[in-house]
């Protein structure tokens, strides 16, 4: 199979990245539309209801180290499909929610994990296929997030008016599952053997780190920075939860 960067199938991957960004960021920013309905449906506190959206948004960025491991094991295509299935299940089963805690795990946690796997794959695949036009390709893929942020909230409002919030979530689950189709377009540019060889060469060519306490077993600073970022996000979420409960 002939592989070529910055041309051909690379632009197909950009289309897939666009749709995934459209769904992930569009639905993340649409939670405010559902929030009002959930607040009256379950008669819960504002902070308790808002925690659903906080879990969804937080996990998309919090699970960086986990996503990297899954991506290394399954590859770009299977990781994107797995994420789409998880997110679809999480969104669709929210249709059955009878308590707010059910939505914590379905709409917040399960869908958040799925969104993260799709998001990290949509970002990685574009960088694998592009060199000269990488900035343009990333910009076009990320553009989907802006379009989704503008388009999905009013669309969700229309669906809720016609089918209630439960029906809207069921339909949204179908939109999310379409990400599996676009994820199937993410044909890996490198084989697992090629990626392993590239990592070995990279580790051999590196100089000894200046800060050995920060340097981890992977041969770079990735896990250290992911851990620091994760602790920052968890700390912020804990403070937000405390304030929402006690105020």
């Amino acid at each position: 199979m002939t592989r070529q960067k910055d041309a051909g199938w690379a632009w197909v991957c950009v289309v897939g990245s666009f749709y995934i960004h459209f769904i992930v960021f569009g639905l993340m920013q649409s939670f405010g539309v559902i929030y009002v309905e959930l607040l009256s449906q379950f008669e819960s506190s504002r902070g308790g209801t808002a925690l659903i959206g906080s879990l969804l948004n937080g996990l998309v960025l919090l699970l960086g180290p986990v996503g990297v491991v899954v991506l290394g094991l399954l590859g770009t295509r299977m990781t994107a499909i797995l994420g789409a299935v998880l997110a679809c299940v999480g969104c669709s089963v929210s249709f059955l929610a009878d308590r707010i805690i059910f939505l914590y795990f379905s709409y917040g946690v399960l869908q958040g994990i799925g969104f993260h796997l799709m998001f990290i794959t949509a970002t990685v695949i574009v960088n694998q296929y592009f060199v000269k036009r990488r900035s343009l390709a990333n910009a076009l893929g990320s553009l989907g997030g802006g379009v989704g942020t503008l388009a999905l909230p009013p669309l969700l409002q229309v669906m809720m008016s016609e089918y209630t919030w439960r029906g809207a979530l069921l339909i949204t689950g179908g939109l999310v599952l379409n990400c599996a189709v676009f994820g199937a377009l993410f044909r890996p540019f490198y084989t697992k053997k090629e990626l392993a060889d590239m990592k070995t060469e990279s580790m051999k060519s590196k100089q000894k780190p200046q800060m050995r306490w920060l340097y981890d077993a992977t041969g770079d600073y990735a896990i250290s920075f992911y851990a620091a970022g994760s602790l920052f996000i968890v700390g912020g979420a804990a403070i937000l939860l405390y304030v929402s409960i006690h105020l």
Side-chain angles (χ1 to χ4, degrees):
M1 179 182 67
T2 303
R3 294 177 298 179
Q4 186 179 5
K5 292 199 173 189
D6 298 285
W9 197 261
W11 293 108
V12 177
C13 292
V14 171
V15 173
S17 178
F18 178 94
Y19 184 78
I20 287 177
H21 278 86
F22 175 86
I23 290 295
V24 170
F25 287 96
L27 290 180
M28 283 170 58
Q29 302 302 326
S30 300
F31 178 72
V33 179
I34 308 173
Y35 170 82
V36 179
E37 293 292 328
L38 298 180
L39 199 61
S40 60
Q41 174 72 33
F42 297 102
E43 298 181 349
S44 57
S45 66
R46 294 180 180 178
T49 307
L51 184 58
I52 301 170
S54 298
L55 287 169
L56 175 63
N57 286 266
L59 287 175
V60 171
L61 301 175
L62 180 65
L63 296 176
V66 178
V68 170
V69 173
V70 175
L71 193 60
L73 292 174
L74 300 181
T76 50
R77 177 177 287 164
M78 290 307 300
T79 301
I81 293 174
L82 174 62
V85 171
L86 289 177
C88 171
V89 171
C91 188
S92 299
V93 299
S94 298
F95 170 85
L96 303 172
D98 58 351
R99 291 184 298 171
I100 198 74
I101 194 171
F102 187 102
L103 292 172
Y104 288 161
F105 290 99
S106 61
Y107 197 89
V109 175
L110 189 56
Q111 189 174 215
I113 294 172
F115 275 5
H116 169 74
L117 294 178
M118 290 192 296
F119 168 66
I120 193 172
T121 308
T123 304
V124 168
I125 194 66
V126 171
N127 287 288
Q128 284 187 0
Y129 269 90
F130 286 88
V131 177
K132 294 180 180 179
R133 299 180 180 177
R134 181 174 293 170
S135 298
L136 174 62
N138 277 302
L140 292 175
S142 301
L143 181 64
V147 176
T149 299
L150 291 174
L152 285 183
L155 177 61
L156 196 59
Q157 183 64 60
V158 171
M159 290 191 294
M160 289 174 61
S161 299
E162 293 292 328
Y163 307 107
T164 75
W165 67 269
R166 294 182 186 274
L169 289 183
L170 197 59
I171 297 172
T172 303
L175 295 176
V176 173
L177 188 59
N178 283 321
C179 290
V181 178
F182 286 92
L185 301 175
F186 293 165
R187 183 174 62 198
F189 190 85
Y190 300 106
T191 64
K192 290 186 177 181
K193 185 179 184 304
E194 287 174 332
L195 288 173
D197 292 341
M198 291 168 59
K199 184 175 181 179
T200 302
E201 291 179 7
S202 176
M203 292 176 65
K204 288 180 180 179
S205 63
K206 287 181 179 178
Q207 298 178 351
K208 291 184 178 180
Q210 298 292 328
M211 303 170 66
R212 301 188 71 85
W213 60 272
L214 189 60
Y215 200 73
D216 52 58
T218 63
D220 54 35
Y221 295 95
I223 291 180
S224 301
F225 287 125
Y226 274 131
S230 299
L231 288 174
F232 178 80
I233 295 174
V234 170
I239 294 173
L240 179 63
L241 181 60
Y242 177 85
V243 171
S244 64
I245 292 176
H246 291 82
L247 291 182

